[in-house]
Amino acid sequence: MDPILEPVLRELARDARQSAAQIAERVDGSEAEVAEAVREAEERNIVLGYGAKINWETLGLSTVYAVVEVTVEPQPNVGYNAVARRIARFDEVQTVYFVSGAYDLLVMIAADNMRGISDFVGERLATMSGVKGTTTRVLMRRYKEDGVYIDADLQNDRQKVVF
């Protein structure tokens, strides 16, 4: 692996709005090296996409989020993968993880309202072939997501950590 690739990717993950020149300064590389590392990472599907974390509530546009614990009947020759991949294709699904513990898949979903959550889980997810059971937990408030503070009060009032 190119030694500059990992630090470049860490910088992109921290803030994808940075220019190649800004990243180059932080990783002690040249702008050309950074641009090439990013291009290669995109071609190799290491970088899968870019996006912004948006607090829709500040615009008066609320979204309801839920976490669904899914118990799955493993399929012959493919285990949990076939069911997980089918679940991942739904527009309501934000994230799917295969996990250890009391259930098999952790599915994070979003909808415009509670009815959307209810309809998706009750009519589409729970009735899928291979799904044995679901437990749904509605998220009441988001404070921090993927390392980004959603709650403005947290952003402006970070506590010092003392060791």
Side-chain angles (χ1 to χ4, degrees), residues 61-65 92 110-117:
L61 302 170
S62 63
T63 300
V64 178
Y65 298 93
E92 295 87 348
D112 292 336
N113 52 48
M114 284 295 294
R115 179 67 181 255
I117 297 290

mmCIF file of all heavy atoms in Angstrom, residues 61-65 92 110-117:
data_model
loop_
_atom_site.group_PDB
_atom_site.id
_atom_site.type_symbol
_atom_site.label_atom_id
_atom_site.label_comp_id
_atom_site.label_asym_id
_atom_site.label_seq_id
_atom_site.Cartn_x
_atom_site.Cartn_y
_atom_site.Cartn_z
ATOM 1 N N LEU A 61 -37.830 20.274 8.711
ATOM 2 C CA LEU A 61 -38.081 19.013 8.009
ATOM 3 C C LEU A 61 -37.630 17.866 8.894
ATOM 4 O O LEU A 61 -36.446 17.551 8.962
ATOM 5 C CB LEU A 61 -37.317 18.984 6.682
ATOM 6 C CG LEU A 61 -37.625 20.105 5.704
ATOM 7 C CD1 LEU A 61 -36.641 20.089 4.550
ATOM 8 C CD2 LEU A 61 -39.051 19.991 5.209
ATOM 9 N N SER A 62 -38.544 17.255 9.582
ATOM 10 C CA SER A 62 -38.143 16.198 10.500
ATOM 11 C C SER A 62 -38.143 14.846 9.793
ATOM 12 O O SER A 62 -38.893 14.610 8.852
ATOM 13 C CB SER A 62 -39.081 16.150 11.706
ATOM 14 O OG SER A 62 -40.383 15.840 11.288
ATOM 15 N N THR A 63 -37.277 14.001 10.258
ATOM 16 C CA THR A 63 -37.178 12.628 9.790
ATOM 17 C C THR A 63 -37.208 11.747 11.021
ATOM 18 O O THR A 63 -36.617 12.082 12.044
ATOM 19 C CB THR A 63 -35.858 12.411 9.014
ATOM 20 O OG1 THR A 63 -35.836 13.291 7.887
ATOM 21 C CG2 THR A 63 -35.715 10.990 8.534
ATOM 22 N N VAL A 64 -37.901 10.618 10.916
ATOM 23 C CA VAL A 64 -37.948 9.663 12.006
ATOM 24 C C VAL A 64 -36.934 8.566 11.695
ATOM 25 O O VAL A 64 -36.909 8.020 10.589
ATOM 26 C CB VAL A 64 -39.363 9.057 12.175
ATOM 27 C CG1 VAL A 64 -39.383 8.034 13.288
ATOM 28 C CG2 VAL A 64 -40.375 10.167 12.426
ATOM 29 N N TYR A 65 -36.082 8.270 12.687
ATOM 30 C CA TYR A 65 -35.061 7.236 12.537
ATOM 31 C C TYR A 65 -35.386 6.091 13.487
ATOM 32 O O TYR A 65 -35.887 6.311 14.587
ATOM 33 C CB TYR A 65 -33.667 7.782 12.882
ATOM 34 C CG TYR A 65 -33.224 8.903 11.984
ATOM 35 C CD1 TYR A 65 -33.445 10.228 12.335
ATOM 36 C CD2 TYR A 65 -32.585 8.632 10.784
ATOM 37 C CE1 TYR A 65 -33.047 11.268 11.512
ATOM 38 C CE2 TYR A 65 -32.180 9.669 9.960
ATOM 39 C CZ TYR A 65 -32.411 10.976 10.320
ATOM 40 O OH TYR A 65 -32.014 12.003 9.503
ATOM 41 N N GLU A 92 -35.551 3.004 2.401
ATOM 42 C CA GLU A 92 -35.656 3.408 3.806
ATOM 43 C C GLU A 92 -34.431 3.017 4.627
ATOM 44 O O GLU A 92 -34.175 3.580 5.684
ATOM 45 C CB GLU A 92 -36.892 2.763 4.461
ATOM 46 C CG GLU A 92 -38.206 3.210 3.906
ATOM 47 C CD GLU A 92 -38.671 2.412 2.687
ATOM 48 O OE1 GLU A 92 -37.892 1.633 2.107
ATOM 49 O OE2 GLU A 92 -39.834 2.594 2.312
ATOM 50 N N ALA A 110 -34.860 5.148 8.032
ATOM 51 C CA ALA A 110 -35.375 6.515 8.150
ATOM 52 C C ALA A 110 -36.647 6.621 7.325
ATOM 53 O O ALA A 110 -36.776 6.001 6.270
ATOM 54 C CB ALA A 110 -34.346 7.515 7.651
ATOM 55 N N ALA A 111 -37.591 7.422 7.830
ATOM 56 C CA ALA A 111 -38.840 7.687 7.118
ATOM 57 C C ALA A 111 -39.330 9.075 7.497
ATOM 58 O O ALA A 111 -38.846 9.684 8.448
ATOM 59 C CB ALA A 111 -39.884 6.628 7.473
ATOM 60 N N ASP A 112 -40.312 9.559 6.762
ATOM 61 C CA ASP A 112 -40.852 10.896 7.021
ATOM 62 C C ASP A 112 -41.647 10.972 8.313
ATOM 63 O O ASP A 112 -41.766 12.042 8.905
ATOM 64 C CB ASP A 112 -41.756 11.341 5.869
ATOM 65 C CG ASP A 112 -40.973 11.590 4.592
ATOM 66 O OD1 ASP A 112 -39.757 11.872 4.678
ATOM 67 O OD2 ASP A 112 -41.582 11.501 3.510
ATOM 68 N N ASN A 113 -42.200 9.837 8.753
ATOM 69 C CA ASN A 113 -43.040 9.837 9.955
ATOM 70 C C ASN A 113 -43.095 8.428 10.544
ATOM 71 O O ASN A 113 -42.559 7.479 9.959
ATOM 72 C CB ASN A 113 -44.447 10.363 9.629
ATOM 73 C CG ASN A 113 -45.059 9.647 8.445
ATOM 74 O OD1 ASN A 113 -45.051 8.424 8.368
ATOM 75 N ND2 ASN A 113 -45.580 10.413 7.494
ATOM 76 N N MET A 114 -43.757 8.306 11.691
ATOM 77 C CA MET A 114 -43.860 7.002 12.367
ATOM 78 C C MET A 114 -44.602 5.989 11.505
ATOM 79 O O MET A 114 -44.301 4.803 11.534
ATOM 80 C CB MET A 114 -44.561 7.158 13.720
ATOM 81 C CG MET A 114 -43.678 7.756 14.791
ATOM 82 S SD MET A 114 -42.289 6.683 15.197
ATOM 83 C CE MET A 114 -43.140 5.297 15.909
ATOM 84 N N ARG A 115 -45.591 6.448 10.767
ATOM 85 C CA ARG A 115 -46.342 5.536 9.896
ATOM 86 C C ARG A 115 -45.411 4.902 8.867
ATOM 87 O O ARG A 115 -45.518 3.729 8.556
ATOM 88 C CB ARG A 115 -47.488 6.303 9.224
ATOM 89 C CG ARG A 115 -48.331 5.478 8.275
ATOM 90 C CD ARG A 115 -49.108 4.421 9.067
ATOM 91 N NE ARG A 115 -49.905 3.599 8.216
ATOM 92 C CZ ARG A 115 -51.217 3.696 8.106
ATOM 93 N NH1 ARG A 115 -51.870 4.597 8.798
ATOM 94 N NH2 ARG A 115 -51.864 2.882 7.321
ATOM 95 N N GLY A 116 -44.480 5.698 8.339
ATOM 96 C CA GLY A 116 -43.514 5.166 7.385
ATOM 97 C C GLY A 116 -42.631 4.091 7.991
ATOM 98 O O GLY A 116 -42.350 3.071 7.355
ATOM 99 N N ILE A 117 -42.217 4.310 9.236
ATOM 100 C CA ILE A 117 -41.421 3.297 9.946
ATOM 101 C C ILE A 117 -42.258 2.039 10.142
ATOM 102 O O ILE A 117 -41.827 0.923 9.841
ATOM 103 C CB ILE A 117 -40.926 3.842 11.318
ATOM 104 C CG1 ILE A 117 -39.984 5.037 11.145
ATOM 105 C CG2 ILE A 117 -40.295 2.728 12.158
ATOM 106 C CD1 ILE A 117 -38.626 4.740 10.579
#
